[in-house]
Amino acid sequence: MPLSRSLSITSLSGLLPAWEDDELPVEDLMLFEVAWEVTNKVGGIYTVIQSKAKVTVDEWGENHYMMGPYFEHNFKTQVEGCVPPNPLIQKAMDALINNGCQVHFGRWLIEGSPYVILFDIGSAAWNLDRWKGDLWETCHIGLPYHDREANDSLILGSLIAWFFKELTDHLGDKPNVISHFHEWQAGPGLILSRSRNIPMATVFTTHATLLGRYLCAGNVDFYNNLDKVGDQWVVLGAKIRSKPIISSVLFNSGIDVVTPNGLNVKKFSAMHEFQNLHSTNKTRIQEFVRGHFYGHLDFNLDKTLFFFIAGRYEFSNKGADIFLESLSRLNYLLRVHRNDLTVVVFFIMPAKTNNFNVESLKGQAVRKQLWDTAHTVKERFGKKLYESLLTGNIPDMNTILDRDDLTIMKRAIYATQRHSLPPVTTHNMLDDSEDPILFNVRRIGLFNSRNDRVKIIFHPEFLSSTSPLLPMDYEDFVRGCNLGVFPSYYEPWGYTPGECTVMGIPSVTTNLSGFGCFMEEHVSDPAAYGIYIVDRRFKSAEESCNQLTQFMFSFCQQSRRQRIIQRNRTERLSDLLDWRYLGRFYTHARHLALSRSFPDKYKIDNKGPLKTEGFRYPRPASVPPSPSASLHSTPHHSDVEDDDDEPYNEEEEAERDRLNIKAPFKLGSVPEGKKKQPGESGN
């Protein structure tokens, strides 16, 4: 069965070959995905594994399995235990169980309900010294005794290699096995499997190397020295004769396939539905802001924009350093132009705290007390008004409120008096003086004073709907904001701006993130679609900071109508990030792995031309050729509409985009020549 020539996929234009013959016989194959974050949420890889499950199950059916470490709490809350449908899987598990190692099987209760095989690391820890010796004798790789993370990875990898050895011994030549290893924690399983010549096709995907993360955080010129940097286990894997297919979410140097990260995109039946969600959740954020800034609420919330940055607390890698500096400059620009527009910026990054800030809790209590007082007075006022109207008289507005009502309202007003500035952070920080965000807030002097047009709220904890302070889930919070800002220096992909995009929220990213590069290549004018890309690759830090400031200042210049139009355009890009489309990159990697491991069965056609079509979002037709035609020279009220706003028809523009886009295949459809597998969805 000939396959088209191998290529590194860096673009949607010319991305996947159109296979002329039937696709791989999924019924004769078994796919295993190995990752430390299967049922175990640690970071972004969990999102990749969890969100991709449905499209993979649709394609592979019951021949798809995920493998990872067993944690009792996660298993009890996320997995429905069951018996493996394939008896050979059970035999391989029994081989490990009979030797004192615990293995658990079940269905992961997420969309797609994939099968999972989880290995209890603690039950096999007594083998650690022996397996370290095996690793050294086989690959000359040594692990420090005190490095628990590396030791746990070796135990997991040894169990997985053992499992694959038992499984392939029972399977024989059919069905063939494809094993896909994600990130370095799964690396030992790959190395041991290849060193033991286990007959299976292998794929390794690096998502974000620890080495790169540490080097970038240490101010190393990382991107000009990529040829000297390698992933922990990729470098070690080079010692193995039969090299696996290597894929990455961004870098294409020395790898076979670039595999961008996607999301499960759920489209609303009506365009206005996601706009309504934005309005509803923005109201909830406004309620929190009313309490947080009590006593200093001298700005109009209807003329206030909400920006945010969220993610792992890596101050320089996530771009929080230039973000804070840009906010200082944005504050200066807004004050110079003497405009009453206000920007409230949220930093959602988990840090070490011991409890909520008393002032923050007090603010929400004061807000609630004012609300209750207003309702009490309203009830009394309404009753008197009702009785007066029943008698046919217009009430005397000077007497309708009695002395008790005035006393209650005065007490409520006095309760809002505050002699200190609203707090910058919502929690008590354990290391307040050394915290990078708070240190730089002091440096730039943004203390939420009355004169500042940019206010900062540092929420050092992930959001939760059960929080007594800001009771919102992350998704609801994102929908309520106006702009997500993620000027990362090290971000191999970057899920946060992608999540903003599928929710119709504009975002700022960089050309050093996989998401930013992806959008830069495949959208003619990203800024028109609400994707602002800061150049951190070819510009200095000062120039990048100025560019970010200009992006945010330009966003503040938009009218309310322009922001609504832009959100419509941003949401329309969500199809680009759908796993129904991006899952094909992983399919291509598996094809390459099979052709490399089993060349007699899956041959590569070195002469066959690639049959592909280009893919690029056009510039929105309603966007004028010059920004001066659609942007004001200075910020203005968000509720002011101009008579000369750009002409816009959402349905016409969306239809024009669809006609201009040429995709290699239709979303959700089956490419020509492919047979639908049992259980595969066409939606």
Side-chain angles (χ1 to χ4, degrees):
M1 152 180 340
L3 299 176
S4 298
R5 185 184 308 131
S6 168
L7 77 163
S8 293
I9 304 172
T10 60
S11 171
L12 289 181
S13 50
L15 86 93
L16 288 175
W19 292 284
E20 296 179 352
D21 297 336
D22 289 343
E23 295 236 346
L24 293 175
V26 175
E27 63 276 5
D28 294 332
L29 295 168
M30 298 178 72
L31 172 63
F32 294 86
E33 290 197 72
V34 183
W36 186 262
E37 298 194 28
V38 171
T39 74
N40 176 39
K41 186 172 184 178
V42 177
I45 300 175
Y46 176 90
T47 306
V48 177
I49 298 297
Q50 183 245 24
S51 62
K52 187 169 62 68
K54 185 180 186 305
V55 294
T56 309
V57 171
D58 285 347
E59 180 183 1
W60 288 82
E62 296 198 347
N63 289 342
H64 172 245
Y65 303 86
M66 293 186 179
M67 308 173 76
Y70 168 82
F71 295 99
E72 184 178 6
H73 175 73
N74 294 342
F75 189 85
K76 288 182 176 180
T77 56
Q78 301 182 45
V79 180
E80 179 186 11
C82 63
V83 177
N86 191 324
L88 298 182
I89 296 287
Q90 185 65 59
K91 285 185 179 181
M93 291 173 54
D94 289 341
L96 275 68
I97 294 172
N98 294 336
N99 282 278
C101 303
Q102 296 298 314
V103 186
H104 303 265
F105 188 92
R107 279 193 181 274
W108 191 3
L109 300 179
I110 58 174
E111 194 172 8
S113 299
Y115 288 124
V116 292
I117 306 172
L118 305 177
F119 300 86
D120 189 336
I121 293 174
S123 68
W126 56 277
N127 291 295
L128 178 59
D129 290 339
R130 178 167 60 86
W131 285 339
K132 279 188 176 183
D134 293 342
L135 186 66
W136 175 257
E137 291 177 3
T138 304
C139 309
H140 295 288
I141 299 171
L143 299 180
Y145 75 93
H146 59 273
D147 191 336
R148 179 170 181 177
E149 194 172 24
N151 291 336
D152 287 348
S153 298
L154 176 59
I155 296 173
L156 177 63
S158 299
L159 290 170
I160 287 172
W162 185 359
F163 174 87
F164 280 138
K165 181 68 171 68
E166 296 290 341
L167 179 63
T168 53
D169 286 347
H170 288 109
L171 289 174
D173 295 333
K174 191 175 181 181
N176 292 126
V177 174
I178 305 174
S179 55
H180 191 149
F181 297 83
H182 293 269
E183 203 41 64
W184 73 270
Q185 291 100 325
L190 169 63
I191 294 174
L192 293 171
S193 297
R194 302 305 297 179
S195 65
R196 295 170 185 175
N197 296 318
I198 297 177
M200 61 183 183
T202 52
V203 182
F204 178 84
T205 298
T206 173
H207 295 263
T209 69
L210 283 179
L211 185 57
R213 180 174 292 138
Y214 292 147
L215 289 175
C216 289
N219 296 320
V220 172
D221 188 6
F222 178 74
Y223 293 97
N224 289 322
N225 293 280
L226 278 177
D227 57 327
K228 303 173 185 176
V229 179
D231 191 44
Q232 290 90 331
W233 297 108
V234 174
V235 173
L236 302 177
K239 297 174 180 254
I240 302 171
R241 289 183 180 178
S242 184
K243 183 181 176 182
I245 294 295
I246 306 295
S247 73
S248 169
V249 297
L250 171 60
F251 305 117
N252 61 4
S253 176
I255 66 168
D256 301 285
V257 181
V258 173
T259 49
N261 291 336
L263 289 162
N264 284 328
V265 178
K266 297 181 180 179
K267 306 289 283 187
F268 292 102
S269 57
M271 177 62 68
H272 65 268
E273 289 186 31
F274 83 91
Q275 295 280 11
N276 291 342
L277 285 174
H278 167 74
S279 178
T280 301
N281 289 296
K282 183 177 180 180
T283 301
R284 296 171 64 187
I285 296 176
Q286 288 175 334
E287 283 301 299
F288 168 79
V289 170
R290 287 188 176 97
H292 191 82
F293 288 93
Y294 83 93
H296 289 260
L297 196 64
D298 52 356
F299 52 92
N300 189 342
L301 284 175
D302 290 331
K303 301 173 185 176
T304 299
L305 301 179
F306 298 120
F307 295 179
F308 81 99
I309 182 174
R312 192 194 303 264
Y313 196 173
E314 296 176 8
F315 183 70
S316 58
N317 286 352
K318 297 298 182 183
D321 49 357
I322 74 163
F323 186 30
L324 281 165
E325 181 61 33
S326 297
L327 289 175
S328 175
R329 300 178 187 188
L330 176 65
N331 183 56
Y332 171 78
L333 290 174
L334 294 176
R335 291 176 63 179
V336 163
H337 286 87
R338 299 182 181 277
N339 192 273
D340 56 358
L341 181 78
T342 303
V343 176
V344 176
V345 184
F346 291 86
F347 285 75
I348 311 296
M349 292 180 162
K352 293 181 179 179
T353 64
N354 58 18
N355 213 329
F356 292 107
N357 188 304
V358 173
E359 274 297 305
S360 297
L361 290 172
K362 180 182 177 182
Q364 300 308 313
V366 168
R367 178 192 62 79
K368 188 176 184 304
Q369 182 185 19
L370 282 173
W371 178 261
D372 293 341
T373 299
H375 270 264
T376 300
V377 174
K378 184 183 74 172
E379 289 292 327
R380 294 183 182 181
F381 179 92
K383 185 177 180 180
K384 293 177 182 178
L385 177 63
Y386 172 67
E387 291 175 350
S388 178
L389 293 176
L390 282 176
T391 61
N393 297 318
I394 299 296
D396 183 358
M397 303 307 293
N398 294 321
T399 61
I400 197 168
L401 291 177
D402 58 27
R403 183 180 297 274
D404 290 340
D405 295 328
L406 294 174
T407 300
I408 292 174
M409 289 190 291
K410 288 179 181 179
R411 289 180 60 184
I413 292 173
Y414 290 157
T416 63
Q417 293 181 356
R418 184 184 233 167
H419 302 292
S420 61
L421 293 174
V424 170
T425 179
T426 58
H427 292 61
N428 294 323
M429 304 292 292
L430 289 181
D431 197 2
D432 184 292
S433 60
E434 298 297 327
D435 182 81
I437 290 179
L438 296 181
F439 177 85
N440 280 272
V441 167
R442 298 185 189 102
R443 179 182 62 81
I444 61 179
L446 286 180
F447 298 118
N448 295 335
S449 66
R450 294 182 183 274
N451 294 327
D452 288 331
R453 303 275 35 96
V454 174
K455 318 285 187 180
I456 291 179
I457 300 176
F458 179 23
H459 189 280
E461 190 178 73
F462 284 134
L463 298 174
S464 170
S465 58
T466 60
S467 170
L469 196 63
L470 182 54
M472 297 182 72
D473 287 326
Y474 178 72
E475 180 178 339
D476 294 335
F477 175 80
V478 172
R479 287 191 182 279
C481 288
N482 297 100
L483 182 71
V485 185
F486 314 102
S488 303
Y489 181 70
Y490 184 74
E491 193 77 80
W493 177 251
Y495 255 122
T496 41
E499 290 167 338
C500 288
T501 301
V502 300
M503 296 180 205
I505 303 300
S507 63
V508 177
T509 183
T510 72
N511 59 356
L512 290 181
S513 72
F515 175 84
C517 293
F518 184 85
M519 287 299 177
E520 203 168 36
E521 280 192 74
H522 311 305
V523 180
S524 296
D525 187 1
Y529 284 94
I531 308 295
Y532 300 93
I533 302 175
V534 177
D535 186 355
R536 296 203 66 182
R537 179 70 177 90
F538 302 106
K539 290 187 177 182
S540 66
E542 175 68 17
E543 292 172 320
S544 298
C545 190
N546 286 334
Q547 186 182 24
L548 175 58
T549 304
Q550 187 56 47
F551 281 155
M552 293 190 294
F553 185 59
S554 298
F555 188 85
C556 293
Q557 291 175 295
Q558 293 181 355
S559 67
R560 180 174 177 271
R561 181 173 184 269
Q562 287 172 322
R563 291 198 301 272
I564 291 174
I565 291 172
Q566 190 178 59
R567 283 197 294 272
N568 286 336
R569 292 174 183 157
T570 302
E571 196 272 343
R572 205 156 61 242
L573 290 181
S574 59
D575 282 342
L576 272 175
L577 304 174
D578 198 327
W579 273 124
R580 291 180 298 158
Y581 182 78
L582 297 182
R584 297 290 290 169
F585 289 85
Y586 282 84
T587 299
H588 185 63
R590 295 168 197 141
H591 277 265
L592 294 180
L594 284 168
S595 65
R596 183 171 295 180
S597 299
F598 306 107
D600 294 337
K601 291 185 178 181
Y602 309 98
K603 296 181 180 179
I604 297 178
D605 180 10
N606 291 320
K607 298 181 180 179
L610 299 179
K611 297 183 179 180
T612 56
E613 294 178 324
F615 189 108
R616 189 173 177 87
Y617 260 82
R619 198 166 191 263
S622 61
V623 175
S626 170
S628 62
S630 61
L631 295 180
H632 301 267
S633 58
T634 59
H636 64 288
H637 298 173
S638 62
D639 56 349
V640 172
E641 300 296 341
D642 295 337
D643 296 333
D644 59 347
D645 268 335
E646 60 196 58
Y648 176 76
N649 184 299
E650 169 61 26
E651 293 183 0
E652 289 181 5
E653 186 173 286
E655 180 61 27
R656 194 177 291 113
D657 273 2
R658 284 191 288 269
L659 293 175
N660 281 319
I661 294 169
K662 294 181 179 180
F665 53 89
K666 295 181 180 178
L667 291 173
S669 67
V670 180
E672 186 178 351
K674 181 181 185 300
K675 297 178 180 178
K676 271 200 174 184
Q677 302 303 327
E680 182 171 344
S681 172
N683 296 326

